């Protein structure tokens, strides 16, 4: 009526195909009810307005109100989206009126029904209005009774007040239960007034001590009224109901109770003892029925009802016979489901389904296909449509897909989404903010460099007996940018953990990485140091104690062989090393022939070539010798061994 902008006293009914599914109160006065035939309804009320529900039309991507929808059910599908949208608006209005959580507790029971837990809000109002309740208990004894309410009469305004039980009278002074009910009725009345003012909708309400009685009270007086069921009036209120008309008490259980006790009246069932109910219905069911007919309900307000699955389906009369027809309906199913996913919070990543299912019926055979929904992508209509189309293709490939009498698309396996995660772009700055940060960093670097010039630079302390003493100072050279590099600024080889201006950053990183890898590899293989090995640690400039003889050479012009413990001329170094290499090969061949299970280790040799400004990093593999296999320092090597690579520095 709000959308059509018709008067509130205009008889109106909601039509779906050839029947009526909802009738307003003005039309009910003419004897029109739900599911009545259209011609009969017109006879009872000639000026009756019948509005067909919104439908999805085959081939369309959006639901709409079609005037001819009832005439061609084969190409239309009912859409509940308009009702869902208005339901969300009403729920948002209710939450806006009530205090914020955690005081606010609202449960959406259906598309047009909600439960409100007003306990916390009523308690706060009680303490504000009645100061005697906020103080300590009388005599500091919590078991003492509360003082009587100061008022002797309560104003219920226009509420529909249920009469008290036969043992109670209205002349009795109200108790605190009555006061809390009266405050609750004030809150509910204000909520209904705001809904009426903002959205133009009327609604009915029931106020009681639990959900069970409140549900019955909301339907007691309609339209646009609220019913208050005080605690002292529960028995009188329930005695007028039939057991089978109470929520959750119909169906098979209702039939069993009627056949067992011969009545469906609550008033008569109240006379049945608990033991007899247990004996006839079972312990659990008998105890539950005994509590329910006395108005006892301990279910709590659930602020969030977790949906397990969503389904959109269509039965085809006549059947569809082509893949293209089925695809058009899949697009409608996807749009229908996605609108509900939005309501469930999929856009905010609150919850999302894990799988999508397609059911297909051809004749008496029902087939289904399932696929996971990618977790790394946001869910949208194109994604769901592509998945549904793929599933349909799998069914068609299996054969015997046409004619199709029914299609059902569903999503399920809902799980809570991750909230608060940040994409990589959130850690980056762009535009003006990036420029400002760059200027700030530049100023900081300039200020920092000026301060460093004033202070003596901190240099790492290196033992004078270290490896650097074996390398002579080089003449000043030009780096790759043409800048002169003095001998006092250039160390060769560079210190581990330090940088050298004459070495490119990438080459220096490779050099340092190779040295660190050397030590790490040696430690990992537990290779001990021997008197012919010098180990360079990434965190220390000291050498191992076992190489004191090697490190005390007096001149670099002479060559000292650590393996032979002899001092030779530097000119004979290459020939002498070739002799050792040939000797090692001979030992290698002998050990291989005698033992096929010899272990192999990796050995990294660091050497310098005095003829070129480079450092050679070689990798040799061979059998593990008794003396270990740690890197050895080799000088003045003029050509690389097989398998070695040359790392150029400063070129």
């Amino acid at each position: 009526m709000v959308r059509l902008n018709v008067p509130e006293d205009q008889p109106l009914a909601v039509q779906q195909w050839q029947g009526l599914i909802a009738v307003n109160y003005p039309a009910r006065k003419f004897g029109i009810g739900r599911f009545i035939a259209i011609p009969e309804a017109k006879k009872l009320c000639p000026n009756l307005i019948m509005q067909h529900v919104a439908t999805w039309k085959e081939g369309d991507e959006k639901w709409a109100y079609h005037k001819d929808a009832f005439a061609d059910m084969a190409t239309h599908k009912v859409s509940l989206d308009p009702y869902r949208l208005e339901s969300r608006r009403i729920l948002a209005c209710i939450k806006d009126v009530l205090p914020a959580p955690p005081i606010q507790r609202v449960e959406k029971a259906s598309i047009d029904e909600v439960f409100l837990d007003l306990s916390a809000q009523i308690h706060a109002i009680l303490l504000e209005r009645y100061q005697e309740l906020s103080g300590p208990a009388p005599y500091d004894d919590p078991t003492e009774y509360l003082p009587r309410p100061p008022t002797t009469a309560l104003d219920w305004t226009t509420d529909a007040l249920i009469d008290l039980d036969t043992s109670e009278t209205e002349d009795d002074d109200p108790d605190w239960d009555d006061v809390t009910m009266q405050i609750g009725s004030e809150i509910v009345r204000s909520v209904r007034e705001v809904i009426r003012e903002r959205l133009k909708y009327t609604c009915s309400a029931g106020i009681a001590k639990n959900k069970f009685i409140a549900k019955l009270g909301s339907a007691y007086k309609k339209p646009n009224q609220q019913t208050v069921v005080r605690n002292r009036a529960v028995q009188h209120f329930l005695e007028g109901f039939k057991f089978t008309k109470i929520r959750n008490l119909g169906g098979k259980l209702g039939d069993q109770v009627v056949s067992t006790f011969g009545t469906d009246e609550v008033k008569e069932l109240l006379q049945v003892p608990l033991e007899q109910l247990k004996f006839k219905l079972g312990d659990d069911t008998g105890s539950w029925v005994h509590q329910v007919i006395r108005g006892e309900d301990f279910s709590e307000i659930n602020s969030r009802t977790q949906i397990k699955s969503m389904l959109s389906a269509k039965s085809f009369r006549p059947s569809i016979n082509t893949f293209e027809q089925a695809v058009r309906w899949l697009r409608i199913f996807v749009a229908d489901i996605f609108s509900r996913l939005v309501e469930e919070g999929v856009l905010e990543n609150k919850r999302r389904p894990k799988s999508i299912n397609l059911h297909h019926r051809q004749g008496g055979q029902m087939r289904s296909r399932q696929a996971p929904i990618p977790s790394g992508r946001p869910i949208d209509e194109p994604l769901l449509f592509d998945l549904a189309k793929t599933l349909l293709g799998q069914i068609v490939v299996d054969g015997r897909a046409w004619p199709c009498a029914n299609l059902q698309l569903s999503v399920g396996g809902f799980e809570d989404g991750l909230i608060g995660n940040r994409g990589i772009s959130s850690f980056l700055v762009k535009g003006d903010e990036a420029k400002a940060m760059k200027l700030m960093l530049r100023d900081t670097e300039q200020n920092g460099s000026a301060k460093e010039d004033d202070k003596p630079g901190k240099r790492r302390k290196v033992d004078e007996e270290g490896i650097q003493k074996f390398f002579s100072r080089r003449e000043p050279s030009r780096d790759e940018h043409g800048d002169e590099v003095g001998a006092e600024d250039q160390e060769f080889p560079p210190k581990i953990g330090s940088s050298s201006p004459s070495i490119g950053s990438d080459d220096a990183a490779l050099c340092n990485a190779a040295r660190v890898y050397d030590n790490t590899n040696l430690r990992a293989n537990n290779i001990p140091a021997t008197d012919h090995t010098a180990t360079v640690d990434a965190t220390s400039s000291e050498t191992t104690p076992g190489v004191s003889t090697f490190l005390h050479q007096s001149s670099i012009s002479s060559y000292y062989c650590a393996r032979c413990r002899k001092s030779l001329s530097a000119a004979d170094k290459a020939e002498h090393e070739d002799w050792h290499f040939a000797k090692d090969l001979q030992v290698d061949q002998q050990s291989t022939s005698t033992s096929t299970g010899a272990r192999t280790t990796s050995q990294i040799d660091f050497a310098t070539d005095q003829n070129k400004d480079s450092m050679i990093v070689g990798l040799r593999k061979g059998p593990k010798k008794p003396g270990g296999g740690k890197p050895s320092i080799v000088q003045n090597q003029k050509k690389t061994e097989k398998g070695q690579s040359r790392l150029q520095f400063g070129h």
Side-chain angles (χ1 to χ4, degrees):
M1 299 183 70
V2 174
R3 184 182 66 84
L4 298 176
N5 195 25
V6 297
E8 292 185 359
D9 58 351
Q10 168 65 45
L12 183 142
V14 179
Q15 179 181 354
Q16 179 173 315
W17 313 132
Q18 299 299 325
L20 302 180
I21 61 172
V23 180
N24 69 353
Y25 288 96
R28 293 182 187 183
K29 295 179 179 179
F30 292 88
I32 300 174
R34 292 189 303 169
F35 308 113
I36 192 174
I38 301 297
E40 184 179 354
K42 278 291 188 180
K43 290 180 181 179
L44 295 175
C45 182
N47 65 335
L48 176 67
I49 297 177
M50 290 180 292
Q51 172 63 55
H52 199 280
V53 297
T55 58
W56 301 88
K57 186 177 181 180
E58 182 181 2
D60 292 350
E61 297 184 2
K62 187 73 176 67
W63 57 266
Y65 290 95
H66 300 93
K67 294 182 179 180
D68 60 343
F70 66 92
D72 196 357
M73 187 171 63
T75 59
H76 288 76
K77 179 186 182 305
V78 173
S79 173
L80 298 178
D81 280 4
Y83 307 106
R84 295 192 185 101
L85 292 173
E86 294 306 306
S87 177
R88 287 200 292 268
R89 292 179 63 197
I90 295 174
L91 186 61
C93 186
I94 293 174
K95 292 182 177 181
D96 189 46
V97 176
L98 298 177
I103 295 178
Q104 176 190 121
R105 297 188 63 188
V106 180
E107 176 185 340
K108 182 179 179 181
S110 66
I111 199 169
D112 63 345
E113 182 180 16
V114 295
F115 288 112
L116 311 178
D117 186 348
L118 304 175
S119 303
Q121 187 177 357
I122 291 175
H123 181 260
I125 296 175
L126 272 174
L127 297 181
E128 181 181 350
R129 291 185 183 179
Y130 304 97
Q131 298 296 325
E132 59 269 26
L133 297 179
S134 59
Y139 312 109
D140 291 329
D141 184 2
T143 62
E144 282 287 334
Y145 292 108
L146 292 174
R148 300 291 300 179
T151 181
T152 58
L154 298 175
D155 182 13
W156 299 99
T157 316
T158 58
D159 295 339
L161 201 62
I162 298 298
D163 294 335
L164 299 176
D165 297 339
T166 55
S167 60
E168 304 284 346
T169 64
E170 295 292 349
D171 295 333
D172 297 334
D173 291 337
D175 57 16
W176 287 112
D177 288 340
D178 296 334
V179 174
T180 57
M181 289 292 176
Q182 194 266 339
I183 296 175
S185 69
E186 293 178 3
I187 298 172
V188 173
R189 190 181 302 111
S190 64
V191 171
R192 293 173 51 239
E193 289 174 353
V194 172
I195 295 174
R196 176 70 165 172
E197 178 182 353
R198 296 182 185 178
L199 306 178
K200 311 302 180 186
Y201 293 121
T202 62
C203 54
S204 301
I207 299 96
K209 66 178 182 178
N210 55 45
K211 293 168 63 175
F212 166 60
I213 303 175
K215 165 69 176 177
L216 296 176
S218 64
Y220 187 72
K221 291 287 186 180
K222 287 187 174 182
N224 198 27
Q225 293 190 57
Q226 64 184 44
T227 301
V228 179
V229 184
R230 292 168 290 178
N231 293 352
R232 297 188 292 162
V234 170
Q235 284 302 309
H236 179 76
F237 178 63
L238 292 177
E239 286 177 355
F241 285 91
K242 289 187 176 182
F243 181 84
T244 53
K245 299 298 183 181
I246 297 177
R247 175 171 168 257
N248 296 330
L249 298 182
K252 294 182 179 180
L253 177 59
D255 295 339
Q256 181 183 2
V257 170
V258 172
S259 61
T260 301
F261 300 101
T263 180
D264 61 353
E265 298 287 341
V266 173
K267 184 177 182 180
E268 296 181 9
L269 288 174
L270 287 171
Q271 310 301 322
V272 181
L274 173 60
E275 294 303 324
Q276 188 175 354
L277 288 172
K278 289 182 177 181
F279 178 76
K280 297 290 186 180
L281 305 176
D283 288 348
D284 293 339
T285 303
S287 299
W288 183 73
V289 170
H290 184 269
Q291 291 178 351
V292 167
I293 60 178
R294 286 164 175 78
E296 299 297 332
D297 179 23
F298 303 102
S299 59
E300 296 185 0
I301 299 295
N302 184 4
S303 299
R304 187 66 185 171
T305 302
Q306 301 291 346
I307 296 176
K308 297 182 179 180
S309 63
M310 294 180 180
L311 171 71
S312 185
K314 172 70 176 177
S315 294
F316 304 108
R317 300 185 184 89
S319 301
I320 59 176
N321 296 280
T322 64
F323 181 80
E324 290 73 18
Q325 281 183 295
V327 168
R328 288 197 291 268
W329 282 109
L330 287 183
R331 189 176 296 277
I332 292 175
F333 295 164
V334 166
D336 183 22
I337 290 176
F338 184 73
S339 65
R340 283 181 273 169
L341 289 175
V342 171
E343 182 179 357
E344 191 66 13
V346 69
L347 295 182
E348 297 82 8
N349 202 31
K350 294 179 180 178
R351 298 190 76 218
R352 58 178 291 141
K354 294 191 296 185
S355 61
I356 183 170
N357 305 271
L358 180 66
H359 297 271
H360 172 282
R361 182 161 60 86
Q362 191 269 335
Q365 182 182 11
M366 177 71 78
R367 290 181 289 177
S368 63
R369 293 293 182 274
Q370 178 177 346
I373 298 176
S375 58
R377 291 182 55 184
I379 295 180
D380 52 19
E381 287 192 47
L383 173 63
L384 296 178
F385 178 69
D386 290 341
L387 293 173
K389 191 175 178 181
T390 301
L391 296 178
L392 178 63
Q394 295 175 2
I395 293 177
V396 173
V397 168
D398 292 343
R400 298 188 62 184
W402 317 111
C404 174
N406 179 275
L407 271 180
Q408 302 177 19
L409 185 68
S410 64
V411 293
F414 278 83
E415 61 182 358
D416 294 334
L418 297 176
I419 302 176
N421 281 9
R422 298 170 60 187
I424 191 172
S425 60
S426 64
F427 295 93
L428 307 177
V429 292
K430 303 177 182 179
D432 296 337
E433 185 179 358
K435 294 178 181 178
M437 182 175 293
K438 187 175 182 180
L439 293 174
M440 185 183 302
L441 291 175
R442 185 180 302 169
D443 295 341
T444 304
E445 291 176 358
Q446 292 176 355
N447 295 336
S449 61
K451 293 180 180 179
E452 290 177 0
D453 293 340
D454 298 338
K455 298 180 179 180
K458 293 184 178 180
R459 300 180 62 85
R460 185 174 179 179
K461 183 178 180 180
V462 182
D463 191 351
E464 293 299 332
E465 299 299 325
I467 195 173
Q468 281 75 18
K469 69 171 292 182
F470 297 102
F471 301 93
S472 59
R473 300 290 185 181
R474 299 185 58 83
E475 295 297 326
S477 59
R478 299 276 178 176
D479 66 3
E480 61 180 347
H481 300 291
D483 297 330
E484 183 175 334
V485 180
E488 67 275 11
D489 296 325
Q490 183 176 359
E491 296 180 8
F492 195 84
K495 299 177 184 178
I496 297 294
S498 64
S499 60
S500 173
S502 64
I503 302 178
S505 60
D506 293 339
D507 295 333
L510 287 172
C511 173
N512 292 338
R515 298 190 184 195
V516 173
Y517 171 79
D518 171 42
N519 296 294
T520 305
N521 186 50
L522 294 174
R523 292 194 187 97
N525 291 280
N526 296 321
I527 303 176
T530 62
D531 57 357
H532 64 271
T533 305
T535 304
V536 182
D537 194 358
T539 59
S540 175
S541 60
E542 299 179 357
T543 57
T544 56
V547 294
S548 59
T549 305
F550 171 74
L551 294 180
H552 281 81
Q553 276 184 215
S554 59
S555 174
I556 199 168
S557 61
S558 62
Y559 169 66
Y560 178 81
C561 179
R563 300 180 66 178
C564 299
R565 297 179 181 269
K566 295 180 180 180
S567 180
L568 304 173
S569 173
D572 299 332
K573 172 186 175 182
E575 183 180 356
H576 187 76
E577 287 188 343
D578 289 341
W579 181 85
H580 275 298
F581 184 72
K583 194 69 175 176
D584 291 342
L585 287 178
Q586 182 181 4
V587 175
D588 187 11
Q589 292 176 357
Q590 293 176 354
S591 62
T592 303
S593 62
T594 57
S595 174
T596 58
R599 295 178 56 187
T600 60
T601 60
S602 297
Q603 177 178 316
I604 299 179
D605 291 342
F606 294 90
T608 58
D609 187 350
Q610 297 295 334
N611 297 325
K612 294 185 179 180
D613 189 14
S614 63
M615 175 167 284
I616 303 170
V617 180
L619 175 63
R620 294 205 302 267
K621 290 189 177 180
K624 183 177 180 181
K625 292 183 282 292
K630 289 193 175 180
S632 60
I633 304 298
V634 187
Q635 302 178 16
N636 297 329
Q637 186 166 326
K638 295 184 178 181
K639 57 181 181 177
T640 63
E641 295 290 340
K642 185 178 180 181
Q644 292 181 331
S645 61
R646 186 181 301 276
L647 304 181
Q648 300 294 334
F649 302 103
H651 297 284

